[in-house]
Amino acid sequence: MKLVNFIKRFNKDEDGAVTVDWVVLTAAIVGLGIAVLTSVSGGTTSLADKISDELGSMEIMTH
């Protein structure tokens, strides 16, 4: 009988449900952040290379 009561109480217990929700939401946010970084990194690398080339080709004037 004790095992049956334990299973019934365990089934009704909702203490860990909030934690699971937060873990899922945090994982989704981290996943979206990684997706954004992946999609943007190619463009920023290309732009940084263009800026570097442009600055490297400029002459510095001295007085």
Side-chain angles (χ1 to χ4, degrees):
M1 252 349 218
K2 289 183 179 182
L3 182 61
V4 173
N5 289 334
F6 173 75
I7 292 173
K8 286 180 182 179
R9 278 192 318 241
F10 182 77
N11 194 26
K12 292 179 183 179
D13 189 16
E14 295 181 1
D15 287 339
V18 174
T19 304
V20 172
D21 291 343
W22 279 106
V23 168
V24 170
L25 286 172
T26 303
I29 290 169
V30 168
L32 286 173
I34 290 171
V36 168
L37 285 174
T38 302
S39 66
V40 172
S41 67
T44 55
T45 302
S46 174
L47 181 60
D49 289 340
K50 288 178 183 178
I51 292 171
S52 176
D53 291 341
E54 186 67 29
L55 289 175
S57 68
M58 290 183 175
E59 292 184 21
I60 300 175
M61 296 182 68
T62 58
H63 296 279

